[in-house]
Amino acid sequence: MAAQLPSDFVWGYATASYQIEGSASTGGRGPSIWDTFCKIPGKIRDGSSGDVSTDSYRLWKEDVALLKSYGVNAYRFSLSWSRIIPLGGRDDPVNEEGIAFYKGLIQELLDNGITPYVTLYHWDLPQGLHDRYGGWLNKTEIVQDYVNYAKVCFTAFGDLVQNWITHNEPWCISCLGYQKGVFAPGHKSNTEPWIVAHNLILAHAYAVKLYRDSFKASQGGQIGITLDCHWLMPYDDSPENTEAVQRGLAFKLGRFAGPIYEGAYPSRVKEKIGDRLPEFTADEIAVVKGSSDFFGLNTYTSQIVQDGGDDETSGYVKIGHTRADGTQLGTQAHVAWLQSYPPGFRKLLNYLWETYKKPIYITENGFAAKNENILPLEVVLHDKDRVEYFEGYANAMLEAVHEDGVSVKGYFGWSLLDNFEWADGYETRFGVTYVDYATQKRYPKDSARALQKWFTEHIAA
Ligand code: PNW
């Protein structure tokens, strides 16, 4: 018999509010920095936005039925801050229509035996806060406003939600939004990303403190953060490239995981960034250290790393998928940054468990098969590359659990639906469900069936 995951193993799919909801200016929702960013010519590959997307603000019942038909026991989605507090701030009004929408969704999930995993912040900062004081750049204001927003959410939904994720991928928020300028708000700076990252960590930590102090005892849930990381491998065994891997991990992962799980920024980051790296006060770091009940991991690929280059976001290392002998790591996705490499996933899970010693939830993992935006539907639905990717990664996870003793509690595939893929617009499709954007009709791809079969066979009864 195949190796079994425990009967309480959590599995399902993930989405994010701005990528699926649409109805950007209805239901009382205020604008977010992504609404604004999408209007800047040249920022979104196909000139699109999340104005309509998969229309899930209106089609949410259909989406829950789809989840049910895929046999999942959990669903990870994010709340739109500006749908709940349209202007975002602690003295601004709460939008009851937004609260009612999410309550309905959560109740429908529960009625169908699907456990909600709720992300508070998946990149859609209320534009009001960005305009008022610079959003994530303003420590005193944003920490208070984020904690207030979290309080509104814990109060409104916490009797039904026991699994909270504060932020999704703070590396992407700070590096892609404030250093490279390819994500909202599109800033290019070498000081702002470090300030934003610091403030994201503090906002996360004070929201967790609030939950633990005032909600956990009565609501009984868990709360943590989701970080993104690829597995890194040296190009060769030279000392420079071996060190480059460690530096790459420190800049991608350690800059958040260090403070949150160990209580300090990594020394490799401190050395390179110097006074551009803000410092935590003793009171702050006491709140930050230990502020995640689990390790939330988004991971898609592995990278071959060489010392050098000028890319500070990745720690002054050159990254690619080509080995020294010229071979590729694995199957290439529609996007340049993603190749399939299951053994790297197993290594990464081992590394995280050994380093941070927290049970792991894989909060995102997935693959964009090539050309699904242009191939005929009957071809797209047989998404062989995605099926192979998911089976390879699921098997690697099982090996990490069974053979290596890593604690993995759950797995969410990215994504339930094709959706608004940020700067790539609608050209890149990550869904296990094909969405015909002209009709909003949903069509299951083979990968949805393949993952259902895999988890049915591998979770103990
Ligand atoms: C994640 N990269 O983002 C996000 O959490 C999702 O919202 C997104 O749709 C998904 O992965 C697929 O891209 C990433 O450039 C964005 O390495 C960019 C990168 C990685 C993850």
Side-chain angles (χ1 to χ4, degrees):
M1 192 171 108
Q4 300 280 287
L5 295 167
S7 58
D8 63 353
F9 193 85
V10 169
W11 91 276
Y13 293 100
T15 62
S17 48
Y18 191 70
Q19 296 183 273
I20 66 162
E21 285 183 5
S23 298
S25 44
T26 48
R29 179 183 178 277
S32 80
I33 56 172
W34 270 93
D35 297 272
T36 310
F37 186 68
C38 290
K39 296 199 177 88
I40 305 173
K43 290 297 188 187
I44 311 300
R45 192 185 288 267
D46 56 6
S48 65
S49 73
D51 277 356
V52 179
S53 193
T54 64
D55 206 12
S56 291
Y57 183 72
R58 297 193 309 124
L59 300 179
W60 58 278
K61 270 201 181 179
E62 201 178 305
D63 291 346
V64 175
L66 197 59
L67 281 162
K68 175 88 175 162
S69 77
Y70 290 167
V72 307
N73 59 34
Y75 176 48
R76 172 178 177 239
F77 62 96
S78 80
L79 305 175
S80 160
W81 186 342
S82 65
R83 202 179 277 295
I84 291 175
I85 308 174
L87 290 170
R90 55 198 183 279
D91 297 321
D92 296 320
V94 170
N95 174 31
E96 292 304 332
E97 226 179 314
I99 302 270
F101 168 69
Y102 291 117
K103 272 195 182 162
L105 170 62
I106 291 164
Q107 192 58 57
E108 182 78 2
L109 289 166
L110 293 171
D111 291 347
N112 283 281
I114 300 169
T115 304
Y117 279 68
V118 179
T119 309
L120 290 171
Y121 187 70
H122 200 126
W123 309 355
D124 41 0
L125 181 76
Q127 182 66 37
L129 302 184
H130 187 79
D131 292 344
R132 201 176 289 165
Y133 53 72
W136 288 112
L137 289 163
N138 187 321
K139 174 169 125 176
T140 18
E141 294 294 332
I142 197 67
V143 172
Q144 293 182 75
D145 282 343
Y146 181 83
V147 171
N148 171 70
Y149 161 57
K151 184 179 180 184
V152 169
C153 296
F154 300 150
T155 306
F157 314 122
D159 53 339
L160 301 178
V161 173
Q162 268 79 48
N163 301 281
W164 293 99
I165 294 157
T166 53
H167 303 316
N168 180 71
E169 301 190 348
W171 183 90
C172 284
I173 300 167
S174 51
C175 290
L176 303 182
Y178 294 82
Q179 193 150 14
K180 296 198 173 199
V182 296
F183 279 6
H187 291 195
K188 287 183 185 161
S189 163
N190 78 345
T191 50
E192 289 184 6
W194 298 103
I195 297 166
V196 166
H198 195 76
N199 296 343
L200 282 163
I201 294 169
L202 287 168
H204 148 82
Y206 281 94
V208 171
K209 179 174 163 40
L210 171 75
Y211 186 76
R212 289 176 177 167
D213 289 350
S214 308
F215 293 90
K216 194 180 167 87
S218 59
Q219 298 183 346
Q222 57 175 349
I223 184 164
I225 191 167
T226 278
L227 306 179
D228 56 311
C229 195
H230 321 293
W231 182 239
L232 305 182
M233 296 172 288
Y235 185 74
D236 55 28
D237 58 11
S238 69
E240 308 82 75
N241 292 336
T242 310
E243 166 58 21
V245 164
Q246 295 309 317
R247 201 168 60 247
L249 285 170
F251 272 72
K252 178 84 189 177
L253 185 68
R255 71 166 90 194
F256 300 105
I260 290 169
Y261 296 102
E262 300 172 327
Y265 282 119
S267 54
R268 287 179 174 88
V269 171
K270 282 192 207 156
E271 276 158 29
K272 288 262 177 207
I273 304 307
D275 354 328
R276 286 185 291 135
L277 189 67
E279 282 179 32
F280 296 107
T281 66
D283 286 352
E284 287 169 349
I285 202 66
V287 175
V288 168
K289 187 180 181 183
S291 60
S292 192
D293 293 335
F294 49 81
F295 198 105
L297 170 68
N298 289 358
T299 191
Y300 288 84
T301 193
S302 295
Q303 294 172 335
I304 311 263
V305 168
Q306 284 176 275
D307 181 49
D310 58 6
D311 179 12
E312 187 172 286
T313 65
S314 56
Y316 299 97
V317 302
K318 292 180 247 173
I319 49 183
H321 294 113
T322 311
R323 299 188 185 89
D325 65 6
T327 58
Q328 298 291 297
L329 275 186
T331 307
Q332 179 64 50
H334 190 74
V335 285
W337 56 269
L338 206 183
Q339 281 189 5
S340 171
Y341 189 65
F345 182 40
R346 179 174 175 180
K347 291 263 194 217
L348 177 62
L349 292 172
N350 272 275
Y351 173 82
L352 296 176
W353 176 236
E354 279 161 25
T355 309
Y356 301 113
K357 302 172 181 69
K358 284 281 172 189
I360 299 166
Y361 285 87
I362 295 133
T363 43
E364 282 179 30
N365 176 241
F367 190 81
K370 273 190 183 160
N371 298 326
E372 289 190 339
N373 56 324
I374 48 175
L375 289 167
L377 180 62
E378 58 277 18
V379 177
V380 172
L381 296 185
H382 302 301
D383 54 341
K384 184 171 142 292
D385 285 353
R386 186 180 286 104
V387 169
E388 281 175 14
Y389 177 95
F390 275 133
E391 288 175 350
Y393 275 66
N395 284 322
M397 171 179 77
L398 189 64
E399 286 163 7
V401 171
H402 256 271
E403 286 164 43
D404 312 334
V406 177
S407 173
V408 180
K409 299 279 188 197
Y411 177 95
F412 294 87
W414 184 270
S415 180
L416 173 64
L417 304 164
D418 291 338
N419 57 46
F420 177 71
E421 178 53 20
W422 308 111
D424 279 1
Y426 296 96
E427 288 184 10
T428 298
R429 291 172 175 264
F430 269 93
V432 296
T433 311
Y434 180 86
V435 177
D436 176 354
Y437 292 111
T439 61
Q440 293 298 346
K441 210 166 143 36
R442 278 97 160 111
Y443 299 86
K445 301 178 192 175
D446 287 351
S447 52
R449 298 296 162 214
L451 266 188
Q452 179 168 19
K453 181 164 182 286
W454 194 93
F455 279 103
T456 306
E457 286 172 3
H458 292 92
I459 296 181

